[in-house]
């Protein structure tokens, strides 16, 4: 994503491009992982009680049928912010460390 942002000249290669790419990565991660987290949590919460779901597929279909598709995204906002902060810190730090290491004579590309 960072290479795409830089190649389109939307932002120069630097901390702002890294931050933008990190934000996109955090959003993509939250969009893809939240439904799995919702289903996993529902299955875990039924432990020791009468089972409302017979498995992953049953929990998924029952949730969508009874509460609608958007029920798979309950808790999306906090998940998104957590992933946004984590991805931003991780990838900006990684890119900065990578540029420092590349500046050392004799070091190979990371």
């Amino acid at each position: 994503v960072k290479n795409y942002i830089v190649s389109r000249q939307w932002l120069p290669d630097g901390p702002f491009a890294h931050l933008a790419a990190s934000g996109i990565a955090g959003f993509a991660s939250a969009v893809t992982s939240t439904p799995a987290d919702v289903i996993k949590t529902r299955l875990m919460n039924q432990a020791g009680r009468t089972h409302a779901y017979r498995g992953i597929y049953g929990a998924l279909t029952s949730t969508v049928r009874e509460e609608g598709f958007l029920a798979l995204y309950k808790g999306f906002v906090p998940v998104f912010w957590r992933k946004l902060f984590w991805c931003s810190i991780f990838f900006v730090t990684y890119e900065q460390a990578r540029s420092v290491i590349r500046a050392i004579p004799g070091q190979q590309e990371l």
Side-chain angles (χ1 to χ4, degrees):
V1 173
K2 181 199 78 165
N3 291 335
Y4 186 80
I5 290 171
V6 171
S7 70
R8 294 281 185 178
Q9 297 180 346
W10 292 340
L11 292 169
D13 191 6
F16 290 117
H18 304 160
L19 196 60
S22 298
I24 293 168
F27 179 76
S29 175
V31 166
T32 57
S33 68
T34 301
D37 286 342
V38 167
I39 298 303
K40 176 196 66 133
T41 301
R42 288 174 182 236
L43 289 169
M44 290 174 64
N45 284 340
Q46 75 178 2
R49 293 190 248 157
T50 304
H51 289 244
Y53 312 111
R54 295 185 71 200
I56 294 171
Y57 183 74
L60 177 67
T61 56
S62 177
T63 300
V64 171
R65 183 175 52 249
E66 294 172 13
E67 300 176 47
F69 179 76
L70 291 180
L72 297 174
Y73 288 93
K74 285 186 175 180
F76 176 79
V77 173
V79 169
F80 168 67
W81 284 108
R82 177 177 51 95
K83 289 182 181 274
L84 177 70
F85 287 130
W86 187 90
C87 286
S88 297
I89 291 167
F90 176 80
F91 286 115
V92 169
T93 302
Y94 169 76
E95 289 289 344
Q96 295 303 311
R98 186 175 167 205
S99 65
V100 168
I101 291 170
R102 261 195 263 160
I104 299 171
Q107 293 297 316
Q108 294 181 354
E109 179 70 22
L110 292 179

